[in-house]
Amino acid sequence: MKQPILLAIDTSCDDTAAAVTQGTVVLSNVIASQTELHKPYGGVFPTVAKQAHRENIALCIQKALQKAGVLPSQIEAVAVTQGPGLAPSLEVGIHYGQEFATTHQIPVYALNHLEGHLFSVLAEPNRRITVPNREIKVQFPAIGLIVSGGNTLFVKVEDLQSFTVLGSTLDDAAGECLDKIGRMLNLGYPAGPVIEQFARLGNPQRFPFPLPLTTVKSFDLSFSGLKTFARNKLETLEKNGSLDTQTIYDLCAAAQSGVFRHITYKLEKLLPNQNISELWLGGGVAANSTLRRELRKLLRRVYPNKKVPLRVPYTKRLCMDNAAMIGVAAYANSKNRVHRTQIDRVPRQTL
Ligand code: KG4
């Protein structure tokens, strides 16, 4: 049986995204970024985001269909993000998704953005051959690590339908922490990619960041202390007049290392009790090469006698907010999908 062709939409935050997917194959993945619009605010300004989504969404959908070489009448279902995210932003995608589904008399499914990041690792590029009619090849169980600007969590994935959150951040997300430290250093928004570049030129050992929650047994995370440590360090350096370029590189290297050390420390406590076959990594921060390297090292350390691969999205574009991951998630976990005539936004949705 051929897999259905889906139109997927994600407007959870500041990127307007539309994609066409078939099974796990990404036929197109269009993203209209609002990064430049929000730069002056140092973060995402919700009403500005909503207006930009409204201006971009129709064209994004049109481009996604064109790039996929698919007519609107060939779309068999719509998958749209209902949460978590900014309520005004989510509203735009839901509205357009429902409208498209009503016009073409097809079902519309409400998707969780976090499920999208989780299943982004299953996405496959379009190799322009007949779409493979085959099972998703994954070894279960897996642990999913979602690290983005809005969320950081560990998820146990038993199979495509069952997952449980084992721990999550109690305050800021990992990407948010990097963005806030970047803002203190005037690195622009989002700062994660710049911090990654600057960190390559710096010495992480010069400013050893504290390791949070070491006395707490849970697998929850907390990044706010790292942010405070960076602020205090920066104030001292500014007072002493010693904030030169090399010091900024060193601070970036130390901050990045502090954030990743906290994640890997908790993961190292979590993994030995989990006989997993794969580690999945999704979300914006998953684009970071140092994090990937650290996680691969960790897997070799924890499982010296078996190969546990780190599964990452096939392109870094799928780490950032995008709609292709929403289409793939809708297919991967299709047993749990029910058509909804009315979809509500769920800004604080959890997995
Ligand atoms: O997944 P995403 O686009 O948005 C959410 O769903 O939250 O993630 C955006 C986050 C931002 O915090 C950004 O700074 C971070 O991902 N990010 C990175 C890198 N690329 C993006 N952080 C570290 N290294 C990177 N290369």
Side-chain angles (χ1 to χ4, degrees):
M1 206 178 66
K2 255 180 108 189
Q3 290 120 345
I5 301 178
L6 303 188
L7 170 68
I9 297 171
D10 183 286
T11 58
S12 54
C13 192
D14 59 338
D15 288 320
T16 316
V20 177
T21 55
Q22 184 167 25
T24 51
V25 176
V26 179
L27 301 181
S28 66
N29 190 21
V30 175
I31 304 169
S33 168
Q34 299 179 12
T35 303
E36 289 305 315
L37 270 181
H38 298 286
K39 261 196 179 141
Y41 307 103
V44 180
F45 201 90
T47 46
V48 174
K50 178 178 177 173
Q51 185 54 29
H53 283 312
R54 275 194 178 143
E55 287 165 16
N56 294 334
I57 185 82
L59 191 61
C60 274
I61 294 174
Q62 195 189 331
K63 272 195 191 164
L65 291 166
Q66 255 170 19
K67 284 193 171 183
V70 162
L71 295 169
S73 57
Q74 289 175 283
I75 297 290
E76 289 159 86
V78 176
V80 63
T81 301
Q82 72 167 162
L86 298 171
S89 294
L90 290 163
E91 187 182 304
V92 180
I94 293 172
H95 171 78
Y96 273 81
Q98 284 183 324
E99 197 176 69
F100 188 98
T102 308
T103 308
H104 298 280
Q105 297 188 316
I106 52 175
V108 55
Y109 304 119
L111 265 289
N112 183 316
H113 182 79
L114 296 174
E115 222 182 311
H117 279 311
L118 183 66
F119 286 121
S120 63
V121 298
L122 303 181
E124 295 175 279
N126 182 15
R127 300 198 196 279
R128 307 230 175 256
I129 49 170
T130 20
V131 174
N133 171 24
R134 55 184 164 78
E135 295 290 306
I136 296 174
K137 279 202 199 112
V138 206
Q139 301 284 322
F140 293 110
I143 293 285
L145 166 57
I146 302 173
V147 253
S148 69
N151 300 276
T152 303
L153 56 155
F154 300 117
V155 188
K156 177 86 181 267
V157 192
E158 297 289 355
D159 55 47
L160 293 174
Q161 285 79 42
S162 352
F163 25 87
T164 323
V165 175
L166 300 179
S168 58
T169 182
L170 303 170
D171 40 57
D172 291 347
E176 186 180 3
C177 175
L178 291 172
D179 290 340
K180 284 179 178 168
I181 294 174
R183 192 162 155 184
M184 295 173 204
L185 292 166
N186 289 322
L187 301 184
Y189 176 84
V194 183
I195 291 184
E196 178 175 21
Q197 278 178 26
F198 283 11
R200 290 198 186 110
L201 308 167
N203 170 15
Q205 263 106 48
R206 184 168 161 204
F207 304 110
F209 273 57
L211 190 55
L213 301 185
T214 47
T215 54
V216 179
K217 278 218 167 83
S218 81
F219 304 116
D220 288 331
L221 300 144
S222 168
F223 296 95
S224 63
L226 301 182
K227 186 183 64 190
T228 309
F229 179 84
R231 181 175 299 119
N232 293 340
K233 218 10 102 195
L234 199 61
E235 273 171 17
T236 313
L237 289 163
E238 272 169 344
K239 237 186 250 161
N240 300 343
S242 48
L243 193 65
D244 55 17
T245 308
Q246 188 56 50
T247 302
I248 292 176
Y249 293 157
D250 293 344
L251 263 175
C252 286
Q256 181 178 274
S257 159
V259 167
F260 295 166
R261 210 158 65 93
H262 180 31
I263 295 172
T264 49
Y265 175 86
K266 283 288 169 182
L267 201 54
E268 191 151 10
K269 298 265 172 242
L270 186 159
L271 287 179
N273 303 322
Q274 310 282 340
N275 188 20
I276 59 160
S277 302
E278 299 188 357
L279 178 66
W280 296 4
L281 179 65
V285 187
N288 189 292
S289 307
T290 305
L291 176 62
R292 293 177 177 198
R293 204 169 47 242
E294 291 300 321
L295 291 173
R296 288 194 177 104
K297 261 201 261 173
L298 173 73
L299 287 170
R300 285 195 294 272
R301 221 169 36 239
V302 177
Y303 302 107
N305 300 321
K306 74 170 185 175
K307 178 138 181 55
V308 176
L310 176 71
R311 193 184 274 267
V312 295
Y314 73 81
T315 158
K316 289 191 174 175
R317 206 173 149 79
L318 284 171
C319 295
M320 316 302 159
D321 286 350
N322 67 89
M325 67 180 191
I326 299 301
V328 170
Y331 169 73
N333 188 3
S334 52
K335 283 192 189 148
N336 281 337
R337 304 281 161 242
V338 276
H339 164 64
R340 303 259 205 87
T341 43
Q342 184 57 44
I343 294 174
D344 294 322
R345 314 167 291 186
V346 189
R348 294 187 179 279
Q349 195 172 26
T350 50
L351 253 190

